[in-house]
């Protein structure tokens, strides 16, 4: 069931979203060559703690997962698409890093992700990241009353496919509010004009995931969480929490 949020409730989600934005910014500043993924997770924990927020990621266990998620951010490097578990891996020059983060404040949740490179960026990685951001922007632009979920999916997928990138099958965005994952699902590809009609008060997490090699295939690591490209090419992930309003889409996880 899709739950519509009131204007005051959206303001509470905006407060959680600001914390997500600050956390992602702090993690990105800390991501230098030699820094471990566990170090980045600790940075995120400190930002959340200082803000009086908690993590909807920590301890989260959906049906597919063999164990609860043990961190407050997902840290996915190079061929990891999403859901990477922060560990002792130390960042290297040229790594492509995707950080996904959530915050819960006062019973409301924000969720966003960003991809970036460490050290010297490869041109092909920069193009991949820029395309993920363009796909996200296209999806957000389609998030207006009267459109449908399929219009968001079509906008995202069109940008991804035009650039020659793959889109992991079965993964995409979601409704969000009091819980991190609510109805409706928001695919990253599909026909326009289909699915749930968008109404003011709906809040969605829109999150393109791109595979550089152009295939849609992925595999799961033995940890039961980390999704990787099958062809070994790199991946990028961008996400914002977006409220649908009568004045147009409002990004709740922007700085």
């Amino acid at each position: 069931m899709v739950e519509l949020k009131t204007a005051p409730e959206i303001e509470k989600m905006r407060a959680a979203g600001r914390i997500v934005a600050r956390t992602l910014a702090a993690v990105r500043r800390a991501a230098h060559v030699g820094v471990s993924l566990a170090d980045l997770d600790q940075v995120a924990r400190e930002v959340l703690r200082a803000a009086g927020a908690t993590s909807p990621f920590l301890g989260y266990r959906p049906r597919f997962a063999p164990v609860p998620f043990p961190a407050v951010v997902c840290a996915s490097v190079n061929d990891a698409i999403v859901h990477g578990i922060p560990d002792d891996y130390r960042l290297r020059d040229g790594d492509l890093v995707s950080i996904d983060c959530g915050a819960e404040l006062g019973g409301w949740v924000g969720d966003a992700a960003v991809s970036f490179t460490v050290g010297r960026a490869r041109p092909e990685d920069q193009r991949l990241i820029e395309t993920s951001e363009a796909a996200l922007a296209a999806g957000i632009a389609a998030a207006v009353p009267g459109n449908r979920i399929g219009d968001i999916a079509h906008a995202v997928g069109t940008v991804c496919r035009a650039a020659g990138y793959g889109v992991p099958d079965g993964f995409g965005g979601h409704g969000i509010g009091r819980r991190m994952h609510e109805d409706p699902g928001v695919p990253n590809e599909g026909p326009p004009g289909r699915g749930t009609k968008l109404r003011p008060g709906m809040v969605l997490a829109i999150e393109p995931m791109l595979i550089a090699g152009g295939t849609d295939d992925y595999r799961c690591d033995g940890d039961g969480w980390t999704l990787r490209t099958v062809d070994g090419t790199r991946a990028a992930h961008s996400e914002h929490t977006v409220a649908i309003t009568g004045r147009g889409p409002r990004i709740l996880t922007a700085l």
Side-chain angles (χ1 to χ4, degrees), residues 26-215:
V27 169
R28 186 169 186 168
R29 286 194 300 268
H32 299 292
V33 173
V35 174
S36 74
L37 300 182
D39 292 336
L40 298 183
D41 186 68
Q42 185 58 40
V43 168
R45 289 173 187 255
E46 292 170 0
V47 175
L48 292 174
R49 185 182 306 113
T54 58
S55 170
F57 288 20
L58 184 62
Y60 181 62
R61 187 180 183 183
R63 286 177 293 179
F64 68 79
V67 296
F69 196 76
V72 303
V73 298
C74 297
S76 306
V77 180
N78 296 332
D79 65 332
I81 306 168
V82 287
H83 302 162
I85 297 176
D87 57 16
D88 292 334
Y89 176 84
R90 294 191 176 275
L91 295 172
R92 302 170 184 173
D93 187 42
D95 276 347
L96 194 166
V97 183
S98 298
I99 301 292
D100 193 354
C101 177
E104 183 173 353
L105 182 71
W108 296 94
V109 179
D111 185 13
V114 63
S115 291
F116 55 88
T117 54
V118 176
R120 290 168 293 183
R122 305 192 311 183
E124 57 268 34
D125 289 343
Q126 194 58 39
R127 177 175 177 266
L128 179 66
I129 293 169
E130 289 173 356
T131 304
S132 75
E133 293 170 348
L136 174 58
I140 292 171
V144 296
N147 272 358
R148 295 184 178 271
I149 289 293
D151 295 306
I152 297 176
H154 181 71
V156 170
T158 297
V159 173
C160 298
R161 296 300 187 186
Y165 297 130
V167 178
D169 185 42
F171 284 86
H174 48 89
I176 185 170
R178 292 190 180 275
R179 293 175 289 110
M180 182 165 58
H181 292 121
E182 297 183 352
D183 291 333
V186 186
N188 283 328
E189 190 171 36
R194 304 282 185 87
T196 303
K197 191 172 184 179
L198 305 182
R199 293 176 287 167
M202 292 176 66
V203 182
L204 308 172
I206 302 172
E207 50 179 323
M209 306 164 197
L210 283 64
I211 296 175
T215 74

Side-chain angles (χ1 to χ4, degrees), residues 2-15 108 176-178 182 199-203 242-246 250 252:
V2 176
E3 296 183 3
L4 301 181
K5 281 71 177 178
T6 65
E9 289 171 341
I10 289 174
E11 289 304 319
K12 292 178 181 179
M13 292 191 69
R14 173 60 176 145
W108 296 94
I176 185 170
R178 292 190 180 275
E182 297 183 352
R199 293 176 287 167
M202 292 176 66
V203 182
V242 180
I244 295 168
T245 80
R250 181 184 179 192
L252 303 182

